[in-house]
Amino acid sequence: MTTKPQQPLISLCMIVKNEADNLARCLRSVRGAVDEIIIVDTGSTDTTCSIARSFGARIIDYPWNGDFAAARNAGLSLARGTWILVLDADEELDPGSRDELLVCAKHTEYEAFFVRIHNHQGTERASQTLTVNPILRMFKNRPNYRFSGIIHEQIAAVIVQETPDAAMHMGTVIVHHYGYAAGVVERKDKISRNLGLLKQQLEESPGDAFQHFNLAVEYMRLGDYGQALEHIGTSLNLAEPGTSYIHLLYKYKARCLAVTGDYPGALEACGQGSSIFPDYPDLHHLKGALLLQVSALAEAKAALRRALQIGASPPLYHTESGIGTYLTHTLLGQVCQQIGEDHEAAACFTRAAQLQPDPWLLIPRLTRLFKCTGREPELHGWLAGQLPSILSEQRQELLRLLVRDGCYTAAADMLGVGVRAGVAAGEMDGGVQNAGEIDTVMRDAGASGATMQSAGEIDAAVQDVGTVDAMTQSAGEIDSVMLGAGTVDATAQSAGEIDSVMQDAGAVDDAAQSAGEIDSVMQGAGAVNDAAQSAGEIDSVMQGTGAVDDAAQSAGEIDSVMQGAGAVNDAALEVPPTTDLLELLQRAEAASAAELGYDDITGLLSHPAVVPADRNTEVPLSAIAAAVQPWILLADKVLAALITSAIYSPAAAAARLSLPLPRSAD
């Protein structure tokens, strides 16, 4: 007696073309979750088809005719499963979602399931998730359920039309998408293809709200925000209430208006959207960023707090990774910092670091904040209590950062009292096993013991000419945070994926790129008297405050002092013994923030301890190194002195915090 073969439960249906680099990963991810694989190949010339056969797939050759829906439907017509799962070759099912997918398949009371598409910055699951998009990807296998639309093909509307009372479930199955990690040229080719198909689609159905939305997305990708706004407006007018992407229309409208400089219009769009979608954190976050941009700080704080109250976006909304969590904490920290609520700012940055996939990104902010608010002695203890992994896993990187940013007390604390006291007795702390560790830290920081006669000398020697961090320290850089804190909006798939929406949104490091700009920063803060406009006059100002050591008025004298200490051998560039280095750190711990003049700093920047003797002498020091960096150091010094003045304190503190951060990558 023969038994009737069991009907497949889930049929995976795909369309592919030249996906040899991606297909195997995708098909491996669904092993044990799907019962049959049907692949529609639209003209591959690589090994795509042989890879598909190795997984037991049934392959359909389908000549490409410019219609995505037709290609999809060619595969559906041959599927035998109770359910149809749709994936693309540059996607993979999360390993933790296989069992959940099978559980969903048992719930036949539903007609369809939405999954969570995680759009990644890179090509691996470990790479940063930029956006999360809910998309309908598994549905009942019924003959009347077929895709429509030659591009951004859809099936949800068809299911609702065919089964008006269809129940659909917003699941938590995760699918990882890597399609936006490719090069810019490839992206442009894709945009060009999409624009042509969308315009063709709109010629056939000019009243299609969804295709107007998709066309707006493509124009945003091109940076044509005027055209994007036109199609967003049309889509808003045509879309039926309850349409799944309306929340995105308001979000993208606000972004387009912000990029074009219409902040009142952008804020109005945020308000309109949040009145309809009050639980959508992205709109509250964006509103907070816009209010910060126009210096409405109290209102910005309230909007960001609302986003944090909501937390991570509910599953039905498209969102960006970190909104409602670490990105919003970071932006709220900026607001508190500008208001002068330094303790709350530190708490926000710390919480952001605790939630951030890469907490190190927030550490430069914390070190600068603690340094500039007089809390540097607390920094080591704070990190030990709140972010212990930074101390244990990124010890040397942190030491380098502390030295570069002049946090010498915290650096000495990291080396440990036991180390400093134990050196004389020949003992070493367990965290510093040999002189090599400390020597390496200081060498990697760009400084040898020779450059460490004072805090100012360390500051000068270790500051690299490229220490301009792209993290948002000034209002001019808020655009970057406002639009995702550097994240690339890579939404798309069927709901209109958007890649790099705001790449050109203006994330410019405005925090002092030239001597003149630093001068302006200090003047704007009331930090420099009109009579002190030159390096020499600045020196006089600092001398008047007791900031400049009379014994070190020139780079040559500083060199002599350092050489006299036996710390540097210009020929061999030897690093001093550990005991000398620790002694120098101890002395730096008690030194003032900076004790050098303009000439001293430029001299140190070209000193052999900073520029090795074997450096190619035909390549001159960068003009930036000779001009900008000394001005940054002098600005920090003058502003630090002015903070003691009741008149200038708030402005000086704000200006000081806007100076460039050390780059965490150095």
Side-chain angles (χ1 to χ4, degrees):
M1 180 179 177
T2 60
T3 59
K4 184 178 180 180
Q6 185 177 0
Q7 179 183 0
L9 182 62
I10 300 177
S11 297
L12 172 64
C13 294
M14 305 175 65
I15 59 174
V16 300
K17 181 180 179 180
N18 290 335
E19 292 288 358
D21 292 339
N22 298 313
L23 186 58
R25 176 178 58 189
C26 177
L27 297 182
R28 277 195 300 268
S29 75
V30 296
R31 277 178 171 164
V34 304
D35 301 284
E36 71 171 351
I37 301 171
I38 298 174
I39 289 183
V40 176
D41 184 82
T42 60
S44 293
T45 57
D46 60 5
T47 59
T48 294
C49 291
S50 61
I51 291 171
R53 290 189 186 94
S54 71
F55 284 86
R58 182 177 181 182
I59 299 174
I60 303 168
D61 292 322
Y62 188 90
W64 176 244
N65 62 0
D67 188 331
F68 280 94
R72 294 272 185 208
N73 294 334
L76 300 189
S77 63
L78 297 177
R80 298 176 295 118
T82 303
W83 296 93
I84 291 187
L85 173 68
V86 174
L87 292 177
D88 289 331
D90 57 3
E91 297 174 339
E92 68 172 324
L93 181 67
D94 186 86
S97 294
R98 292 173 188 166
D99 291 342
E100 185 180 355
L101 192 71
L102 292 171
V103 170
C104 290
K106 294 178 181 178
H107 287 270
T108 55
E109 67 272 23
Y110 294 108
E111 286 294 306
F113 289 90
F114 285 79
V115 305
R116 306 276 285 171
I117 304 293
H118 284 227
N119 297 293
H120 287 264
Q121 185 177 37
T123 58
E124 302 294 336
R125 281 202 309 273
S127 63
Q128 183 183 357
T129 296
L130 301 177
T131 60
V132 180
N133 200 17
I135 299 180
L136 193 155
R137 285 297 189 87
M138 192 166 80
F139 51 90
K140 289 279 186 65
N141 184 5
R142 301 188 189 279
N144 52 339
Y145 290 174
R146 293 294 183 264
F147 284 95
S148 64
I150 62 175
I151 184 172
H152 296 310
E153 61 280 9
Q154 294 287 289
I155 201 163
V158 175
I159 293 175
V160 171
Q161 180 181 339
E162 296 292 330
T163 311
D165 59 346
M168 301 184 187
H169 181 68
M170 191 70 64
T172 56
V173 169
I174 295 173
V175 171
H176 301 280
H177 174 233
Y178 310 107
Y180 290 95
V184 175
V185 174
E186 182 180 346
R187 290 177 185 172
K188 288 182 178 179
D189 289 344
K190 188 173 183 178
I191 293 171
S192 177
R193 179 205 69 187
N194 290 354
L195 280 173
L197 291 173
L198 286 168
K199 289 177 180 178
Q200 178 185 338
Q201 181 79 54
L202 282 176
E203 286 178 2
E204 300 173 4
S205 52
D208 190 331
F210 181 63
Q211 300 306 343
H212 279 286
F213 163 69
N214 287 324
L215 200 54
V217 168
E218 299 301 335
Y219 278 119
M220 289 175 73
R221 291 161 115 180
L222 288 174
D224 190 341
Y225 301 105
Q227 288 271 29
L229 282 167
E230 288 185 19
H231 288 283
I232 287 171
T234 302
S235 185
L236 279 170
N237 291 332
L238 294 173
E240 295 290 333
T243 302
S244 63
Y245 54 85
I246 290 180
H247 65 286
L248 271 176
L249 286 169
Y250 284 105
K251 177 179 173 180
Y252 294 160
K253 180 179 180 180
R255 285 189 161 178
C256 288
L257 289 168
V259 172
T260 58
D262 185 358
Y263 293 111
L267 285 166
E268 182 181 1
C270 284
Q272 292 170 343
S274 58
S275 66
I276 302 172
F277 308 102
D279 60 341
Y280 186 30
D282 295 49
L283 286 171
H284 297 285
H285 176 100
L286 182 53
K287 180 180 178 182
L290 290 166
L291 289 166
L292 174 57
Q293 187 81 333
V294 298
S295 298
L297 301 180
E299 294 89 341
K301 185 175 180 180
L304 294 169
R305 285 195 173 279
R306 175 59 185 144
L308 289 172
Q309 287 173 357
I310 298 169
S313 177
L316 69 157
Y317 297 127
H318 161 278
T319 189
E320 293 163 47
S321 180
I323 287 186
T325 58
Y326 59 87
L327 287 184
T328 308
H329 277 292
T330 300
L331 196 55
L332 181 58
Q334 280 189 255
V335 173
C336 293
Q337 185 174 293
Q338 291 205 24
I339 292 174
E341 297 171 343
D342 300 322
H343 282 74
E344 187 170 352
C348 288
F349 291 146
T350 301
R351 185 57 180 150
Q354 291 170 340
L355 299 172
Q356 169 80 253
D358 183 3
W360 179 254
L361 297 174
L362 276 298
I363 301 305
R365 284 188 180 279
L366 278 171
T367 59
R368 174 58 59 87
L369 184 63
F370 272 70
K371 172 190 173 184
C372 293
T373 55
R375 298 177 61 195
E376 187 200 336
E378 304 173 36
L379 180 56
H380 180 261
W382 181 278
L383 293 175
Q386 303 296 327
L387 296 163
S389 63
I390 294 296
L391 292 175
S392 61
E393 298 172 9
Q394 294 176 279
R395 174 184 175 82
Q396 289 202 347
E397 293 94 327
L398 180 57
L399 276 170
R400 284 194 292 269
L401 175 67
L402 294 174
V403 172
R404 284 200 314 275
D405 204 22
C407 296
Y408 311 113
T409 301
D413 286 342
M414 275 199 68
L415 295 174
V417 175
V419 175
R420 296 197 298 271
V423 168
E427 299 173 355
M428 293 297 294
D429 185 282
V432 185
Q433 293 299 319
N434 54 51
E437 180 193 12
I438 305 176
D439 290 348
T440 300
V441 168
M442 296 314 188
R443 282 188 182 278
D444 291 347
S448 75
T451 62
M452 295 180 161
Q453 286 302 310
S454 69
E457 291 164 339
I458 298 176
D459 215 15
V462 300
Q463 291 285 349
D464 183 87
V465 297
T467 57
V468 178
D469 195 309
M471 297 179 71
T472 53
Q473 284 298 312
S474 68
E477 296 166 293
I478 296 301
D479 280 348
S480 176
V481 171
M482 164 179 90
L483 303 170
T487 62
V488 178
D489 192 0
T491 326
Q493 301 292 338
S494 56
E497 305 175 4
I498 177 167
D499 181 24
S500 304
V501 173
M502 308 311 271
Q503 282 183 346
D504 299 323
V508 180
D509 189 356
D510 292 329
Q513 291 301 308
S514 70
E517 290 171 335
I518 288 291
D519 209 5
S520 300
V521 169
M522 295 190 293
Q523 288 176 0
V528 178
N529 186 284
D530 292 340
Q533 294 299 311
S534 69
E537 292 166 315
I538 291 291
D539 280 350
S540 299
V541 170
M542 292 188 295
Q543 287 173 359
T545 63
V548 177
D549 188 339
D550 292 337
Q553 289 302 306
S554 69
E557 290 171 304
I558 291 293
D559 286 349
S560 298
V561 170
M562 293 191 297
Q563 290 172 359
V568 172
N569 180 320
D570 285 347
L573 291 178
E574 295 177 353
V575 176
T578 305
T579 53
D580 293 341
L581 190 55
L582 290 173
E583 180 182 348
L584 290 169
L585 270 177
Q586 287 178 288
R587 289 163 59 183
E589 182 178 359
S592 60
E595 297 180 346
L596 302 179
Y598 182 90
D599 292 339
D600 301 326
I601 295 169
T602 55
L604 281 172
L605 285 174
S606 59
H607 192 276
V610 181
V611 183
D614 59 356
R615 182 179 69 86
N616 183 357
T617 55
E618 295 180 0
V619 181
L621 283 174
S622 167
I624 296 177
V628 176
Q629 191 60 29
W631 279 100
I632 292 173
L633 297 174
L634 289 171
D636 186 65
K637 172 180 172 179
V638 173
L639 293 170
L642 287 172
I643 286 176
T644 60
S645 165
I647 298 175
Y648 295 120
S649 179
R656 191 180 182 202
L657 281 165
S658 73
L659 292 174
L661 291 167
R663 293 182 305 177
S664 58
D666 286 345

